[in-house]
Amino acid sequence: MSKPIIALVGRPNVGKSTLFNRLTRSRDAIVADYPGLTRDRQYGTGRLGKSPYIVVDTGGLSGETEGVDPLMAGQVRAALDEADAVLFLVDGRQGILPADEVIANYVRLFDKPVQVLVNKAEGYDHDVAKAEFFQLGLGDPIAISSAHGDNVEKAIDHVLEQLPEKEDEEDLELDAQPGIRVAVIGRPNVGKSTLINRMIGEERVVAFDMPGTTRDSIFVPFERDGKEYTLIDTAGVRRRKNIKEKIEKFSIVKAIEAMEQSHVVILVIDGSEGLTDQDLTLLGLAIESGRGLVLAVNKWDNLTTYQREQVKHELDSRLQFVEYAKKHLISALHGSGVGDLFKTVQQVHEAAFKKVSTSDLNRVLEQAVLEHQPPLIAGRRVKLRYAHLGGLNPPRVIVHGNQVDKLPEAYTRYLTNVFRKAFKWIGTPVTIEYKATQNPFEGRKSKPKVKDDRQKIDAMMRQRKKKKKMQKKRVQ
């Protein structure tokens, strides 16, 4: 693997998910922002620290039932198996509980580097907060605050430094692949390998009617109509409770890395089974990767007219949050609809790398504001001054203005749709970032003002007396 895997373990409510969000610099996007998304454990790309890694968030363990094996047999066991290092979170305010000792003994069995993190240590002397946890016998604890970020970056850098360096062989291999890189992802046995064979017109990938035939990411370069492609066939991702063989436990990590290194992701859905929670899980990962997205509903030829209507209705109702992705109804086995995928892949790739001038962006922004003004914030109108392109794949628009940090999410969605329509950003996520414009008068000293009404009255009386004296002099 090109990136180390770091697992988070600990009792419930010790701050694992908060730390996960801190390390991935997200707001629990995989779960919270996409309706219907359920996951047994969460994977994310670490963005805090000196080097890249993959972080795995696991469910909380009570450790209070008789025997720890039933608790560990599922998600945590799989996470510890595939991890290169373990972050063991404890609650610094509660101190050591029996459950912490049970979990510590179990984690020790996996012979992986373990770092104890004493969470919720904000406002406490760190030496005092971590003193009690030395007795766990897992080395020198580090006191942190996952909510406020105290010591978190220092802790993750310390863990990464203890791991042996890994050569980025997979990254080099991906960079060497020609043309548009397309990652084909989906649950086991939805027809990914069959689809790739149909797309390239030959049996290049083993396709067998048994889940989990593909064990690793396979790169298939080929040319079609003068265009170069590299298809990436990833191992099928199945429910964690169904994972038994150790080699398959790495499949979801491989899928994450393949998506991050691709230009376009094709998510294959089994039309005969409809949209499942696992499909939504993979969809969340694809969106998080920021790559262009195409949805391929396979095995369409096996459905009755009634089943097709049901599937269409389900897709429309449950996938409203990803309306920008084109849906293709295909049969990988017989080839119907597969040819249309190439046209969409090209459109998505072009959109993801399409450069837009600053003048065009500002013209569209100005028109969008004219048609729909930003809301009032504390009685003041939000002013959007100008915009420029901040990056590609996915397109990233930087909008400058005042009070932009207070804009509601609904207005951001409105701007996203306006930009998408104006520049034909088809099939790719569009990110909008705001930057507050500095007030040019900020910090300047204002003219001294009369402190109270009495001073104003006194000043007026003196002015009147002065005028009266002047008038008397003129009369004399």
Side-chain angles (χ1 to χ4, degrees), residues 19-26 44-48 55 288:
L19 179 60
F20 176 87
N21 294 338
R22 175 78 56 182
L23 294 175
T24 59
R25 289 184 176 175
S26 67
T45 301
R47 294 182 173 88
L48 185 70
V55 58
E288 189 184 53

Side-chain angles (χ1 to χ4, degrees), residues 441-450:
F441 299 101
E442 187 177 355
R444 291 189 181 182
K445 292 183 178 180
S446 59
K447 293 181 180 180
K449 297 181 180 180
V450 179

Side-chain angles (χ1 to χ4, degrees), residues 24-25 56 97 104 128 148 220 226 276 283 303 306 348 368 382-383 404 417 447:
T24 59
R25 289 184 176 175
V56 188
L97 297 182
V128 174
H148 297 87
V220 187
T276 68
L283 183 56
L303 305 183
Y306 174 76
V348 171
V382 177
K383 293 182 180 179
V404 287
N417 292 332
K447 293 181 180 180

Side-chain angles (χ1 to χ4, degrees), residues 144-162:
I144 67 164
S145 169
S146 58
H148 297 87
D150 302 347
N151 255 2
V152 173
E153 187 168 2
K154 176 184 175 181
I156 193 65
D157 284 339
H158 174 74
V159 171
L160 292 171
E161 288 170 0
Q162 310 306 312

Side-chain angles (χ1 to χ4, degrees), residues 147-275:
H148 297 87
D150 302 347
N151 255 2
V152 173
E153 187 168 2
K154 176 184 175 181
I156 193 65
D157 284 339
H158 174 74
V159 171
L160 292 171
E161 288 170 0
Q162 310 306 312
L163 299 176
E165 293 186 6
K166 297 185 177 184
E167 297 181 2
D168 294 334
E169 296 178 358
E170 183 178 335
D171 293 342
L172 293 172
E173 184 180 4
L174 278 163
D175 290 337
Q177 302 303 327
I180 304 173
R181 296 196 295 268
V182 184
V184 182
I185 67 172
R187 294 182 294 109
N189 210 30
V190 295
K192 298 184 300 299
S193 297
T194 304
L195 175 59
I196 287 180
N197 289 333
R198 178 62 62 178
M199 292 176 75
I200 64 178
E202 58 179 288
E203 296 293 328
R204 288 286 299 277
V205 182
V206 175
F208 184 65
D209 189 19
M210 184 182 75
T213 302
T214 305
R215 291 298 192 188
D216 209 341
S217 297
I218 301 171
F219 309 107
V220 187
F222 73 104
E223 185 176 317
R224 178 187 171 99
D225 298 331
K227 282 271 189 181
E228 289 186 322
Y229 300 87
T230 295
L231 295 178
I232 308 173
D233 181 21
T234 57
V237 181
R238 64 177 72 187
R239 287 186 178 275
R240 302 282 75 75
K241 67 181 182 181
N242 294 331
I243 296 179
K244 295 180 181 178
E245 299 180 42
K246 185 174 182 179
I247 191 170
E248 193 176 345
K249 292 172 185 174
F250 292 90
S251 62
I252 192 169
V253 180
K254 283 297 207 180
I256 291 173
E257 293 193 335
M259 284 187 284
E260 288 179 349
Q261 296 294 336
S262 68
H263 300 132
V264 181
V265 174
I266 296 179
L267 172 60
V268 184
I269 299 170
D270 189 337
S272 63
E273 296 184 7
L275 197 62

Side-chain angles (χ1 to χ4, degrees), residues 1 4 58 71 110 114 136 146-147 159 202 244 296 300 306 332 334 343 354 359 375-376 414 431 434 446:
M1 300 299 300
T58 63
L71 297 172
F110 286 80
V114 180
L136 291 174
S146 58
V159 171
E202 58 179 288
K244 295 180 181 178
W300 196 249
Y306 174 76
H334 299 100
K343 182 179 179 181
K354 183 179 182 180
S359 59
L376 291 172
Y414 162 71
T431 303
Y434 297 107
S446 59

Side-chain angles (χ1 to χ4, degrees), residues 420-470:
R420 186 188 302 283
K421 183 177 180 181
F423 302 115
K424 296 181 180 179
W425 279 327
I426 301 169
T428 178
V430 177
T431 303
I432 294 183
E433 295 181 9
Y434 297 107
K435 287 194 176 180
T437 303
Q438 187 175 4
N439 185 350
F441 299 101
E442 187 177 355
R444 291 189 181 182
K445 292 183 178 180
S446 59
K447 293 181 180 180
K449 297 181 180 180
V450 179
K451 291 184 178 180
D452 52 36
D453 291 341
R454 183 63 188 173
Q455 288 178 323
K456 289 183 181 180
I457 294 171
D458 290 344
M460 290 172 61
M461 294 300 293
R462 286 193 297 269
Q463 189 68 21
R464 285 182 182 179
K465 288 180 180 180
K466 187 176 180 181
K467 285 183 179 179
K468 286 181 179 180
K469 287 182 180 179
M470 294 293 293

